[in-house]
Amino acid sequence: SVSIVRPVQQNLSLLIGADTEDLLYSVNWGDTQAASGSVRKGESKSIEHFWSALGEYSILVEITGTATGKKSYTFPVTIQK
């Protein structure tokens, strides 16, 4: 599962949960920065990002599971004061 925690000013948290299998993830924050890693089955991981400029961004999250394969999620977000 992938959840967006509501942005506060220029900071946002992304929560990735691995309910049924181990997962690999990659996140493109839409501002030339990215993050990647893994989450073990039964665990979750919170990833935070800070944008240096206000504006509209498209966050691309790609999750790859050992059994479910690759899934992509896109989240539009507006960063404002």
Side-chain angles (χ1 to χ4, degrees):
S1 62
V2 178
S3 303
I4 292 282
V5 179
R6 186 174 179 191
V8 177
Q9 293 181 352
Q10 291 173 251
N11 193 37
L12 179 136
S13 293
L14 177 70
L15 182 64
I16 297 175
D19 300 328
T20 59
E21 61 184 328
D22 292 347
L23 299 174
L24 297 176
Y25 68 85
S26 66
V27 181
N28 180 323
W29 298 104
D31 63 353
T32 72
Q33 295 188 40
S36 62
S38 62
V39 183
R40 295 189 58 88
K41 179 181 173 180
E43 298 180 358
S44 62
K45 182 177 275 189
S46 179
I47 308 158
E48 292 191 17
H49 184 69
F50 180 84
W51 281 267
S52 59
L54 304 179
E56 294 183 10
Y57 299 92
S58 181
I59 302 168
L60 173 62
V61 181
E62 295 182 329
I63 304 290
T64 304
T66 52
T68 56
K70 187 175 186 178
K71 295 181 181 178
S72 297
Y73 305 89
T74 302
F75 300 96
V77 64
T78 300
I79 303 300
Q80 54 189 330
K81 276 191 161 183

